[in-house]
Amino acid sequence: MTLTVANIDTPQRLRVLHIAAWYPTPSNPVAGIFIREHVKATALFNDVAVVYAESCRRLGFKPRINESVEEGILTLRVLYPRLPVPKGRFASYALSIEAAYRHLKTRGFSPHIIHAHVWPAAAAAVFTARIHAKPLLLSEHSSEFPRKVQKPRNRRIAAAVFRRCHLVCPVSEYLASFLRELAPSAKITIVPNVIDTTLFRPDPASPPNPSHTKRILLVALLSRVKGIDYLL
């Protein structure tokens, strides 16, 4: 039987496990902040937990799991050993995701859905989703696909991951067009980044703009990859 959200016997609120490739840290509080906002939006209607794993050279052979509650979200920050060979690094990452999943089960959190953010996280989560027979969703944010800067091997892996996900959710139509080209058989539905409308909303009291001059607001890191020079 193909696993879908529709044919899982669930309560009204789903238990969703987010696996984040990028996530805010104390040293970089804006890294993947849009993923954290997505997680917080999901928590309005579901019971959620989030796992973020980072490699560490000064670590033994077992991942180290640090559990906390951040902004009301059960959060597992995992350190996993950075092995000296590339294939070993990915295996170590995937095993850390599995270890976090099992840790959550001991805490009574058994997810209905695994929701990965960015394809490397989904690639690692494929292993766990298959073992535990859980649907795997992927929100894709990466600009690597439109910019076509990936190595051929990574493109092949990403395409295979997209095909194995039950649903792939790029954040824009532009990004979706490249994913469809890469993995035509993948099931793709566009889900934009979320916006907290309690903070960002039109101000009805703002004065009109009689000059009709367009005003542009850019919210982004001041890094070259953002293409700010093209905007200007």
Side-chain angles (χ1 to χ4, degrees):
M1 180 181 72
T2 300
L3 285 171
T4 65
V5 175
N7 61 27
I8 299 176
D9 184 16
T10 65
Q12 196 167 16
R13 287 175 68 90
L14 294 172
R15 290 186 298 274
V16 182
L17 173 58
H18 291 272
I19 310 293
W22 310 323
Y23 210 66
T25 65
S27 61
N28 192 351
V30 298
I33 197 169
F34 43 87
I35 296 177
R36 186 178 65 185
E37 293 303 303
H38 191 133
V39 172
K40 289 165 63 177
T42 309
L44 296 175
F45 307 100
N46 304 279
D47 300 322
V48 306
V50 60
V51 172
Y52 173 63
E54 290 184 288
S55 64
C56 179
R57 290 180 179 175
R58 301 184 304 274
L59 199 65
F61 292 100
K62 291 184 179 180
R64 183 184 304 161
I65 299 173
N66 299 306
E67 178 186 321
S68 62
V69 177
E70 301 178 11
E71 299 191 55
I73 305 296
L74 178 60
T75 304
L76 268 58
R77 294 185 178 272
V78 184
L79 292 176
Y80 64 90
R82 184 182 299 177
L83 301 180
V85 292
K87 290 184 179 179
R89 292 172 194 168
F90 176 76
S92 183
Y93 180 36
L95 289 172
S96 74
I97 300 302
E98 173 63 15
Y101 184 99
R102 292 180 182 274
H103 175 88
L104 285 170
K105 288 196 70 174
T106 66
R107 298 277 280 101
F109 188 95
S110 181
H112 297 108
I113 298 171
I114 298 175
H115 188 157
H117 294 264
V118 193
W119 71 268
V126 164
F127 174 67
T128 293
R130 183 166 294 182
I131 288 178
H132 300 282
K134 302 296 180 181
L136 177 60
L137 278 63
L138 167 60
S139 284
E140 187 53 70
H141 308 261
S142 179
S143 65
E144 291 178 335
F145 300 99
R147 291 187 294 122
K148 297 185 177 181
V149 295
Q150 291 174 311
K151 296 178 181 178
R153 178 177 177 273
N154 285 347
R155 284 181 61 81
R156 291 193 297 270
I157 294 173
V161 168
F162 295 149
R163 291 193 295 268
R164 283 166 173 76
C165 289
H166 291 80
L167 187 63
V168 179
C169 302
V171 295
S172 69
E173 175 58 47
Y174 182 67
L175 179 55
S177 66
F178 290 92
L179 303 193
R180 293 189 187 103
E181 178 184 339
L182 182 63
S185 63
K187 186 175 181 181
I188 294 176
T189 298
I190 298 165
V191 178
N193 285 322
V194 302
I195 299 172
D196 185 347
T197 54
T198 64
L199 293 173
F200 303 101
R201 63 187 186 278
D203 183 1
S206 62
N209 181 16
S211 67
H212 301 290
T213 301
K214 287 186 170 52
R215 298 167 177 168
I216 299 174
L217 171 65
L218 170 71
V219 182
L221 294 174
L222 300 181
S223 58
R224 185 173 182 179
V225 72
K226 300 299 180 182
I228 297 170
D229 49 341
Y230 295 103
L231 173 64
L232 295 176

